[in-house]
Amino acid sequence: MFISKNPDNTQPTTDIISYICAMSEKKVILDSGIEIKPLYTAANIEQEMPGQFPYTRGVHEGMYTAKPWTMRQYAGFSTAEASNERYHFLLNNGVNGLSVAFDLPTQIGYDSDDAMANGEVGKVGVAVDTIEDMERLFKGINLETVSTSMTINASGFILLALYIALAKRQGADIKKISGTIQNDILKEYAARGTYIYPPKPSMRIITDIFEYCSKEVPKWNTISISGYHIREAGSTAVQELAFTLSNGKAYLKAAIEKGLDINVFAKRLSFFFNAHNHLFEEVAKFRAARRIWANITKELGATNPDAQKLRFHTQTGGSTLTAQQPMNNIVRVTIQTLAATLGGTQSLHTNGFDEALSLPTEQAAGIALRTQQIVAEESGICDTVDPFAGSYYVETLTNEVEAEALKLIEKIDVMGGAVSAIEQGFIQEQIANSSYKYTQAIERNEKIIVGVNKYVSNDGIKIPIMKIDDSIQQTQIEQLTKFKANRNQEEVKQKLDKIVAVANSSENLMPSVIEAVEAHCTLGEIANVLRGIWGEYK
């Protein structure tokens, strides 16, 4: 059936639009509450160009036509040696950026020999207690030439100090090292839970990092404001966008209040988003994110275009992976790869198909990387900028996602901002409610998950899984004991005392922490002396 047009040849007739809408009996409503129409037209589409404010079509004029996104596979498990082996495997297979996963004790500031670390060492990431662990982790890798992202928040300032100290050991110019620490504590309070200190000192640490890196490590992205874990906790796409950008707004305001120049520090802020299976909603989310952020930064005084641009890393959705028929996850990850790249991501991690069962095996990690490479090399995505631009559907959906996200951001602003909204439990409640509704929809078969509530079968395929041996903890403790025995204990005490003094002043914390790790203070020792001052968030 052909759609007739108006005499001016610009729009389908109202009668035809009404006819198509009437013929469509199926009503489609996204998890975010946005209703999908059976037909979209050119109404409300504005002409925008990539690389120009408000950057809806991309933060660079040429986007992937000039250079594909960075393929950055997330890896870290067991010991530093085992993780280093995986990094070399990935680098040898075409990865052009590393992404480090740390174990739970490292994330919350405990050494491997702490009673709180028992049973968790090396399980969900790599254990890093000391500068020697960091050295083993990056053995044979030149930190001046590789970009490294570290998923670390509460103890992120200590891991950054260890990374800088190692770069100096290698003889690198720290003004040339590049990478990112996640360093996003607000989403920990709202969605993930790996926090240490209360919000006020945590925000002080973050702004200290902004200040230090802008002067000393200018190529380092000082924060990766994360929507990924908000989405993993059960939020909708719109909530992921709104809560993440509200957190970003809080960080901007905190840095401005500290006296930092938004045109300087905002250039090194980055974001971290999730990619789920609804291709069009995800693309619209990414496009809307750039536009909203550009306007937020402009309203707060940013005039430098680089300070207005939202640059982001994407990871495919861990919570979308199923233990049932796990090979289906390869298809899911491919759809999510398309969503991220069609949405204009700057870097991407693709999950292994087996991650609903265990940490990814080398085979699964290899397939995940090849998925990115096939999309980059064979799909045509890199041939043109923002292929969905001008799509009636995607452009309209971008506007609708933006409008719904702005409603939530305005609610949070009225509450006093993200910190206040978290303290009042608003963001946590919103996420919990969405998660509950999503689960109910699956149980009622209103939302189809192939292999779970439809097309259910036992495919008979046995998937090898990765197991982390409990002996890893003992090995790590033995190395740590030896490390502590072979250092200058008086110097360690002096450096820890200096951290305490600096923490009780307005002086920037980062130089004293770098000095401490260089003097062989451990991650847990540094975290603990600050626990003694600031306490823990409950």
Side-chain angles (χ1 to χ4, degrees), residues 357-369:
L357 301 168
S358 70
L359 290 170
T361 61
E362 191 168 287
Q363 179 197 30
I367 292 172
L369 176 58

Side-chain angles (χ1 to χ4, degrees), residues 92-336:
N92 290 335
N93 279 274
V95 153
N96 44 18
L98 296 176
S99 183
V100 183
F102 297 97
D103 72 357
L104 190 57
T106 302
Q107 291 181 48
I108 52 179
Y110 291 112
D111 287 335
S112 299
D113 60 357
D114 195 295
M116 291 292 290
N118 192 36
E120 292 292 342
V121 175
K123 291 293 178 70
V124 299
V126 61
V128 174
D129 302 320
T130 70
I131 191 166
E132 288 187 358
D133 286 335
M134 190 65 91
E135 195 163 35
R136 286 189 286 266
L137 187 63
F138 290 101
K139 184 178 180 181
I141 298 170
N142 187 339
L143 300 191
E144 198 173 292
T145 59
V146 70
S147 170
T148 303
S149 173
M150 295 188 281
T151 303
I152 196 75
N153 296 286
S155 58
F157 66 108
I158 308 173
L159 271 300
L160 175 59
L162 285 164
Y163 194 87
I164 291 169
L166 177 60
K168 289 163 70 176
R169 272 195 182 189
Q170 288 187 352
D173 180 351
I174 66 168
K175 292 190 182 298
K176 294 181 180 178
I177 64 173
S178 63
T180 305
I181 45 171
Q182 193 163 99
N183 197 30
D184 176 9
I185 202 64
L186 291 181
K187 71 96 172 50
E188 296 296 331
Y189 301 127
R192 191 161 174 263
T194 59
Y195 43 71
I196 302 174
Y197 313 112
K200 188 174 181 180
S202 294
M203 293 294 280
R204 179 258 176 96
I205 292 171
I206 288 168
T207 54
D208 277 0
I209 292 169
F210 288 175
E211 182 180 49
Y212 174 81
C213 288
S214 66
K215 297 173 183 175
E216 305 297 335
V217 198
K219 293 182 69 177
W220 194 267
N221 292 321
T222 50
I223 192 169
S224 177
I225 304 159
S226 176
Y228 183 84
H229 302 100
I230 290 171
R231 193 68 175 278
E232 289 293 286
S235 80
T236 66
V238 164
Q239 288 172 335
E240 177 193 359
L241 180 56
F243 298 155
T244 305
L245 297 189
S246 288
N247 288 348
K249 195 172 182 179
Y251 293 128
L252 289 178
K253 288 184 173 181
I256 291 168
E257 287 171 9
K258 190 180 176 69
L260 304 184
D261 183 352
I262 190 172
N263 285 308
V264 176
F265 76 81
K267 291 190 291 186
R268 303 315 307 179
L269 271 59
S270 66
F271 287 80
F272 174 25
F273 288 115
N274 208 315
H276 274 219
N277 290 330
H278 197 292
L279 177 68
F280 302 102
E281 183 181 31
E282 294 301 295
V283 171
K285 178 187 75 181
F286 297 133
R287 299 175 89 247
R290 283 190 290 269
R291 192 154 69 204
I292 295 171
W293 186 247
N295 284 303
I296 286 173
T297 54
K298 185 177 181 180
E299 288 166 8
L300 290 175
T303 55
N304 186 317
D306 286 337
Q308 299 171 335
K309 294 176 181 178
L310 182 145
R311 291 165 286 264
F312 67 99
H313 170 75
T314 308
Q315 181 173 338
T316 56
S319 62
T320 69
L321 304 178
T322 64
Q324 302 93 325
Q325 302 177 26
M327 298 302 287
N328 293 347
N329 294 329
I330 296 174
V331 182
R332 292 186 176 100
V333 169
T334 303
I335 293 169
Q336 293 161 14

Side-chain angles (χ1 to χ4, degrees), residues 86-97:
R86 177 65 63 86
Y87 297 156
H88 281 285
F89 166 79
L90 292 169
L91 289 167
N92 290 335
N93 279 274
V95 153
N96 44 18

